[in-house]
Amino acid sequence: MRYRNEDDKCYGVAGMTIGLSIFDASDLYTGVTLDADGLDCIQFTPEFFFSGNPRINAKQSWQCIYSHYQISMGLIIADTVCRKMLLDHGTIDRKSKKALLDAMAEEGKELCQLERDEVEPIFDKYFSHLVKVFSNADIRKAIGEMVALLKEHRSFSRSEINDILHQLSIL
């Protein structure tokens, strides 16, 4: 993910923060920061980077990797949709959506040995849901407030993010 400027990054990070809440992944990160790039703006716990363990059977390992892949996909979509809809006041065109799906399909193949036809329904479900979320007027207002806080403070711990989301009536 490349950001055009600090506003773009703030909206992306705010979108991913909302995504962490939506995808019930708040236990997999410790905080957020504007002083990193892309997904690194989210400070994930070591458990998020699980890549297998010989003491865990193959099925459980794959399920964990698959779950984290789905969370990453949701965060990338949330970042993109939030920036496009709230900052640019636009929509994601077919070409951009296809490029995003292509990237997610490639990542799914690499991490989980998934075929495109296995990734596409999940991608479409997440994409549609996040478009609805970021279309909500209350969420849009709350994200604007969150962006202002991010610009001011640059980073927050997970508990601070949860407090902000509660105050903004997002959680």
Side-chain angles (χ1 to χ4, degrees):
M1 295 179 290
R2 295 195 193 278
Y3 298 109
R4 300 173 299 211
N5 55 40
E6 181 127 323
D7 283 344
D8 195 42
K9 185 181 243 184
C10 286
Y11 277 90
V13 171
M16 288 191 289
T17 302
I18 301 299
L20 287 163
S21 176
I22 290 169
F23 296 111
D24 197 26
S26 62
D27 60 328
L28 294 174
Y29 82 106
T30 59
V32 299
T33 182
L34 293 179
D35 298 324
D37 293 318
L39 277 178
D40 291 337
C41 290
I42 306 296
Q43 299 162 334
F44 290 103
T45 63
E47 292 80 18
F48 182 80
F49 299 103
F50 173 84
S51 61
N53 181 337
R55 295 181 183 176
I56 299 174
N57 74 43
K59 182 178 179 180
Q60 288 175 317
S61 290
W62 183 86
Q63 287 174 331
C64 183
I65 292 167
Y66 177 65
S67 172
H68 293 178
Y69 160 71
Q70 288 179 305
I71 291 167
S72 294
M73 181 190 325
L75 296 181
I76 290 167
I77 294 168
D79 173 285
T80 304
V81 171
C82 184
R83 289 186 295 136
K84 186 64 175 175
M85 291 180 69
L86 278 70
L87 180 62
D88 297 341
H89 306 288
T91 58
I92 308 264
D93 60 30
R94 283 188 204 164
K95 183 179 176 184
S96 298
K97 184 178 177 185
K98 183 186 178 308
L100 196 54
L101 173 59
D102 291 346
M104 294 298 94
E106 185 63 34
E107 188 77 8
K109 184 173 188 159
E110 184 179 312
L111 289 175
C112 306
Q113 294 73 47
L114 298 172
E115 296 299 323
R116 184 183 182 92
D117 64 339
E118 295 172 299
V119 171
E120 199 164 357
I122 300 162
F123 176 89
D124 287 339
K125 177 183 168 185
Y126 288 3
F127 188 88
S128 296
H129 181 67
L130 288 164
V131 166
K132 288 178 188 173
V133 167
F134 294 121
S135 294
N136 180 295
D138 292 333
I139 297 290
R140 293 169 86 91
K141 180 180 178 203
I143 288 175
E145 293 174 29
M146 180 179 278
V147 164
L149 290 169
L150 278 168
K151 283 182 183 180
E152 182 180 344
H153 298 279
R154 305 216 40 91
S155 64
F156 289 106
S157 69
R158 177 179 63 198
S159 63
E160 291 171 323
I161 288 291
N162 287 338
D163 289 345
I164 292 167
L165 293 175
H166 279 321
Q167 289 173 1
L168 299 175
S169 300
I170 295 176
L171 280 182

